[in-house]
Amino acid sequence: METHSLQDFQDLCTFESFKDFWHYYGYGVDQQELIDREFKRIKGVTYLDHAGTTLFPESQIKGFYDDISRNVYGNPHSHNPSSRLTHDTVESVRYRILEHFNTCAEEYSVIFTSGCTAALKLVADTFPWKAASNEGPGSQFCYLTDSHTSVVGIRGVTALQGVGTVSVLPHEVERRARKPPTQTDGEECTAPHLFCYPAQSNFSGRKYPLSYVKGIQSQQLYPACEHRGRWYVLLDAACFVSCSPLDLSQYPADFVPISFYKTFGFPTGLGALLVRNEAAEVLRKTYFGGGTAAAYLVAEDYFVPKPNIVSRFEDGTISFLDIISLHHGFETLQKLTGSMLNIQLHTFGLARYTYIVLSCLCHSNGKPVAQIHCDNDFQNIAEQGAILNFNLLDCHGRTVGYSQVDKMASLFNIHIRTGCFCNTGACQYYLAISNQNVKTNLHAGHICGDSIDLIEGRPTGSIRVSFGYMSSFEDCQNFLRFVVNCFVDKPLILDQKRLTKLKSAELMESAASYDLASIPNGQLGQQNGQTISPSPERITPSEDAVSEEEKNNGSSHTLTNLFIYPVKSCASVEVTEWPLGPQGLLYDRLWMVVNENGVCLSQKREPKLCLIRPVICLASNTLQLQVSGMEPVTVPLETSLANSDLRTSQSKVCGDRVQTVDCGEEVSTWLSEFLGKPCRLLRQRPEFQRDMKFGPGKENCGPTALSLVNEAQFLLINRASVSFLHEHIADRQDSENEGTWRDMEQLIQRFRANLVISGPQAFAEDDWSHLTVGDTQFQVIGRCGRCQMIGVDQKSATRSQEPLRSLSECRSGKVTFGIYLAHQSARNTTAVPVLSVGARVIPRISESTDKP
């Protein structure tokens, strides 16, 4: 049934009508309010080219500006404090990217590039292509015909290397699937092949099954099923990830190129190649730039690349400020929308509504107003993205040139995209342009990107509208009214039969989708599966626990002080006895303060941390943070991840990746107020296992779990060594802050040890290999190298050159002080060990010593 009614169209262009078609809209706040607050610059503009680039919100840019205004970021190839901050921040961003795609650093590496195209070229230049020879078949480079120019362009590299090229029509992947070829004895084929396809077409918005990834890798789908060898999959995700969640743990493509401006709007000129670590090992890079070499010679053809995957492929200094800005992109996107799933639901609804109305518009003679280029009816969110591609038709069925539509749209301040969108294959398919037509059109003067839209009445391209997370229903209204007012022969007719059919169609809203926020993260409150009691059985030291050999190999010392540091780099808590947990002293360095980019803060960067006093209350199961002049703030010792409001994240400590959970807004606000910059408190996730690295020549006593400490479970210092250093400082005539050096206890605090012992000989601990404290056995892991952090006075947070200067002098240039320890299980007991002040300490001297 057709109706000649402009009023019907007006009724269709109401928000109530939109809600009849799709019930997901916005992110829990008024969408117009979001636009007015974050996108003031698009007032009066209908922006519908989000597949070209989306728009950045104002708070994202402000956050980035505030960040680079507060912090000094140096070249990450240097090792000064500003450069280390850059390095740590960039690594934090890498983790954030992997987290966004539900994977981790053990599975994937993030190689930064100038964009998706550069990432594709990196694969083209380094993939181990193999030409066919008498020894066996060569590599195959295969790609879906609905691919971006930058994917097809890989053919320019492979053609010079004798590699076969196969363009695959979309329907062939499954239709021509069959059992993979069997390998006969002696004919094993190791030729590497590459199949490329888009997760979402940038032309039509069609989503291709992510299951193709495993299907090709296992050689069950065409063309992999017809060629023996090892198949790799490149998933072009640039268009897909702007509005849809991608789970690489489920769909482990070998290579995933992306451009960040598609998702965040800023920065431009920055992309990445997400590469499976297993696949990265086969890439062969020839050029080497700054920062990629472990060693090379200038007068000899000798070059050894760095072992790290990322370091091998990022030539020169990366665009580190742009990379740092990505953190603000992720943060802002999360705050404004909640998740990529919400973005997917919102944008698909707008595209679906626009498709339905546009496809039902007819001229006065009943002929359709638009020819829409798609393979579905926008019913399944897993099959279609937020893109609508079409050509407008006049009342005689003739195509209206896309340049004419573009110019008219500009008059109404409507921003759309026209042409072939760097996707000749899709353009040919949907517009029925033959290979000969392309060649003829070129001879007629038409080239990609020009305004020649019709040749002999046939279109050379089409019109694309695409939606982003800040798009609104008003954008749909403005566009549809523009089409009706400018290109419909009146009176307007609505195809009510089609409208009713599309409106009543069964929708598939969640197929092949997942919410990143709902991924299970395990439970807090347990460590290695065992609940730790706050009141463990006390182990009493006994004479029998120490063997005669241990008595003979070292003199007896006494444990005089015991310190825990619940929050990394904050003040200590001195105790007289304390239980040991799986990672060292219970609750020692389980929390850390991070900046707005998720980078761990230490006293080297923020000396005021030492003024924050943690207080652990086992009875109430709380950690309280105190500082002079402020009300204290409290967080639970054990936080359940069942709380959906808690955010999990990955960070870095001493070069190691750690998994953490955010402790919430209240403590974040408290820390930010005290430190004068945005900060958060993170707690290590207890199910996360971080093992200690044993140095050369050290026996491995089995897996040794670490908290957020730098290198080892425990740090021990000797009072005799402190006294020796104290006297050296006192003897200096030019020592800074003379008053502070009169108190040896303050000097002890600067070294932030867990165990302080008494002993007769300074630096005797340097020669120890093992020791026993009470009944608890420890292995010496190595000496603790010191840095400028010991120059921070733990009471005033002021810096000085001492004691680092005197330590270097009295130890002939060496700046080690104290020894690292690892816990070895106590003998013949199942009780939880406890360390107590006053316990006897019996060391064992190593057989071969390396005295300073």
Side-chain angles (χ1 to χ4, degrees), residues 100 103 242 289 447 470 503 589 630 642 733:
H100 185 75
T103 187
S242 62
I447 62 172
M470 74 295 299
K503 188 175 181 179
R589 295 176 173 92
M630 291 180 64
Q733 297 300 316

Side-chain angles (χ1 to χ4, degrees), residues 70-86:
R70 278 191 300 266
N71 298 296
V72 178
Y73 291 110
N75 189 312
H77 289 170
S78 302
H79 295 284
N80 57 62
S82 60
S83 299
R84 292 306 304 173
L85 177 61
T86 301

Side-chain angles (χ1 to χ4, degrees), residues 281-413:
E281 296 303 322
V282 306
L283 300 181
R284 299 291 177 262
K285 187 165 173 280
T286 52
Y287 174 82
F288 60 93
T292 64
Y296 74 96
L297 295 174
V298 294
E300 183 181 326
D301 188 11
Y302 177 80
F303 167 75
V304 177
K306 286 186 175 177
N308 179 271
I309 292 172
V310 167
S311 297
R312 293 205 304 266
F313 289 95
E314 291 179 346
D315 292 301
T317 300
I318 54 178
S319 185
F320 55 87
L321 289 181
D322 285 339
I323 293 169
I324 290 170
S325 76
L326 295 179
H327 169 80
H328 302 278
F330 282 115
E331 282 292 301
T332 307
L333 199 67
Q334 176 70 27
K335 288 177 182 177
L336 297 183
T337 69
S339 71
M340 289 302 299
L341 178 61
N342 292 338
I343 294 175
Q344 180 177 237
L345 293 170
H346 173 79
T347 55
F348 176 78
L350 296 176
R352 168 177 156 76
Y353 169 79
T354 306
Y355 163 79
I356 290 174
V357 176
L358 184 63
S359 67
C360 293
L361 296 180
C362 299
H363 294 285
S364 59
N365 60 2
K367 288 185 178 292
V369 170
Q371 179 184 5
I372 300 178
H373 308 304
C374 65
D375 300 285
N376 59 74
D377 283 334
F378 283 70
Q379 306 299 328
N380 190 341
I381 203 169
E383 295 179 356
Q384 181 63 43
I387 291 176
L388 184 63
N389 194 303
F390 60 94
N391 284 100
L392 293 180
L393 308 173
D394 64 16
C395 61
H396 303 291
R398 296 174 301 204
T399 301
V400 178
Y402 62 74
S403 290
Q404 180 183 345
V405 177
D406 196 11
K407 290 173 184 176
M408 286 294 292
S410 297
L411 293 177
F412 288 82
N413 224 353

Side-chain angles (χ1 to χ4, degrees), residues 27 337 516:
Y27 312 100
T337 69
L516 291 176

Side-chain angles (χ1 to χ4, degrees), residues 161-183:
Q161 302 187 42
V163 172
T165 300
V166 180
S167 59
V168 181
L169 294 170
H171 68 270
E172 292 182 312
V173 177
E174 296 182 54
R175 187 176 298 176
R176 296 181 62 176
R178 59 182 178 85
K179 289 185 178 180
T182 57
Q183 308 236 12

Side-chain angles (χ1 to χ4, degrees), residues 122-366:
L122 177 61
V123 176
D125 291 339
T126 60
F127 193 80
W129 307 109
K130 179 181 177 182
S133 66
N134 295 332
E135 298 177 359
S139 299
Q140 296 290 320
F141 166 54
C142 308
Y143 54 89
L144 219 58
T145 54
D146 187 358
S147 288
H148 194 277
T149 302
S150 298
V151 171
V152 181
I154 296 176
R155 189 177 65 195
V157 175
T158 60
L160 299 176
Q161 302 187 42
V163 172
T165 300
V166 180
S167 59
V168 181
L169 294 170
H171 68 270
E172 292 182 312
V173 177
E174 296 182 54
R175 187 176 298 176
R176 296 181 62 176
R178 59 182 178 85
K179 289 185 178 180
T182 57
Q183 308 236 12
T184 58
D185 293 340
E187 293 187 5
E188 182 180 359
C189 179
T190 59
H193 311 292
L194 183 64
F195 177 73
C196 305
Y197 81 102
Q200 176 177 302
S201 170
N202 74 308
F203 185 94
S204 66
R206 174 181 177 180
K207 292 180 178 178
Y208 290 96
L210 296 174
S211 58
Y212 283 3
V213 171
K214 291 182 178 178
I216 292 292
Q217 290 170 337
S218 60
Q219 297 184 252
Q220 296 177 354
L221 298 176
Y222 177 80
C225 61
E226 294 193 355
H227 300 275
R228 291 180 291 117
R230 169 69 187 276
W231 279 87
Y232 296 88
V233 175
L234 185 151
L235 181 69
D236 180 2
C239 185
F240 180 88
V241 300
S242 62
C243 291
S244 301
L246 174 61
D247 186 351
L248 291 179
S249 70
Q250 293 188 43
Y251 309 106
D254 299 289
F255 310 104
V256 184
I258 56 175
S259 284
F260 292 106
Y261 69 92
K262 300 279 188 181
T263 301
F264 303 127
F266 179 89
T268 57
L270 180 67
L273 177 67
L274 277 61
V275 56
R276 280 183 75 195
N277 294 335
E278 180 183 343
E281 296 303 322
V282 306
L283 300 181
R284 299 291 177 262
K285 187 165 173 280
T286 52
Y287 174 82
F288 60 93
T292 64
Y296 74 96
L297 295 174
V298 294
E300 183 181 326
D301 188 11
Y302 177 80
F303 167 75
V304 177
K306 286 186 175 177
N308 179 271
I309 292 172
V310 167
S311 297
R312 293 205 304 266
F313 289 95
E314 291 179 346
D315 292 301
T317 300
I318 54 178
S319 185
F320 55 87
L321 289 181
D322 285 339
I323 293 169
I324 290 170
S325 76
L326 295 179
H327 169 80
H328 302 278
F330 282 115
E331 282 292 301
T332 307
L333 199 67
Q334 176 70 27
K335 288 177 182 177
L336 297 183
T337 69
S339 71
M340 289 302 299
L341 178 61
N342 292 338
I343 294 175
Q344 180 177 237
L345 293 170
H346 173 79
T347 55
F348 176 78
L350 296 176
R352 168 177 156 76
Y353 169 79
T354 306
Y355 163 79
I356 290 174
V357 176
L358 184 63
S359 67
C360 293
L361 296 180
C362 299
H363 294 285
S364 59
N365 60 2

